[in-house]
Amino acid sequence: MRPENQSGVSHFLLRGLPIRPDHQGAVFALFLGVYLTTLLGNLLLILLIRLDARLHTPMYFFLSHLALSDVSLSSVTVPKMLVNMQTQDQSIPYGGCISQLYFFIVFGNLDNLLLAVMAYDRYVAVCHPLHYTTIMREGLCVLLVAGSWIVSCVHALLHTLLLVRLSFCADNVINHFFCDLTVLLELSCSDVSLNKLVILTEGGMLFLLPLGSVLGSYIRIGTVILRVPSTKRICKAFSTCGSHLFVVTLYYGTLASVYFFSSSWDSKDIIASVMYTVVTPMLNPFIYSLRNRDIKQALKMFVNRANFVK
């Protein structure tokens, strides 16, 4: 049986961003610029890490996968939103909506897991610097990243399969700019108690465990630093962890404001969704690069090499 026969609808209507019609052109140009910046920044970061041997370390290995996840997360939602703005056609096929949902869950959860892995990496770097290369060996790094990808794909597949068994009746208007799981469950005319139970248990566990790992890592880092406090140690720890800590705060802050501190979807929730699906992926390369001497040197060498080839 095809998905549209099972669901009762062949397509959904994405209401999009809460903006006035006369502002569509300016908003389109803004989001196009943000998306192109996201692509350029993250792909350039991946390229630099790939080409420069000095960046072949666990931290940059994890960062390259975070950049790949960020550009993928943004690519799942933004291009469709831009097409809808340009064509004024808000429809998305049922199959397209399900596919968008699956990949959004994959890369959203992958970001979550990679941030936890990177927090553990920073904990080892600060608290066990002499054993860093022994603990963060190549095999463990590959295992952590591969495990994050596998868990994210299985997690997304579980929620997608639970969703496609539901029926959708007359109301097919999604009050969002992409196919979000919680909004789709509100539209269903089937019993969604199992879906909500799985979100609360399995989904909650996959959110809280990485968050707990991040908090535990930074609490331990803070404890070690404050045990023998000095300006030099604090500055060194901040230079090591500051960028990651800022990204973690931005990611979890916007995520929590959307899914935990809101009872119904409105303009504020959609704007917060824009923050973690569009703005954060754009900012991450700049956050990790502006205060990073290795990235700056790699970029300078890349530019010099490109000029030499010309």
Side-chain angles (χ1 to χ4, degrees), residues 242-257:
S243 298
H244 179 260
L245 188 59
F246 184 81
V247 170
V248 165
T249 304
L250 187 63
Y251 176 82
Y252 284 109
T254 54
L255 200 65
S257 67

Side-chain angles (χ1 to χ4, degrees), residues 48-179:
L48 292 176
I49 293 172
R50 180 76 175 177
L51 294 179
D52 197 312
R54 294 172 301 175
L55 302 182
H56 294 174
T57 63
M59 181 180 73
Y60 295 112
F61 175 67
F62 298 139
L63 182 56
S64 66
H65 282 270
L66 181 67
L68 176 61
S69 178
D70 281 340
V71 74
S72 301
L73 179 65
S74 187
S75 297
V76 168
T77 58
V78 178
K80 177 60 179 174
M81 179 179 65
L82 293 175
V83 169
N84 289 355
M85 285 184 183
Q86 190 68 13
T87 62
Q88 298 299 311
D89 179 11
Q90 307 298 321
S91 66
I92 181 172
Y94 176 82
C97 186
I98 296 301
S99 299
Q100 187 185 59
L101 170 69
Y102 172 79
F103 287 108
F104 177 78
I105 296 176
V106 167
F107 296 116
N109 191 69
L110 182 60
D111 265 11
N112 184 30
L113 294 175
L114 288 175
L115 288 174
V117 169
M118 294 173 73
Y120 174 71
D121 173 72
R122 295 299 82 204
Y123 157 74
V124 176
V126 174
C127 300
H128 304 282
L130 299 180
H131 302 284
Y132 179 77
T133 55
T134 305
I135 297 174
M136 300 304 297
R137 57 192 183 278
E138 183 179 356
L140 177 62
C141 294
V142 172
L143 182 63
L144 289 172
V145 170
S148 298
W149 277 95
I150 293 171
V151 170
S152 298
C153 290
V154 173
H155 169 67
L157 183 61
L158 171 63
H159 288 280
T160 303
L161 291 177
L162 287 175
L163 180 71
V164 297
R165 70 185 182 85
L166 303 177
S167 296
F168 296 89
C169 304
D171 188 4
N172 67 338
V173 178
I174 298 176
N175 188 29
H176 215 314
F177 63 93
F178 67 93
C179 294

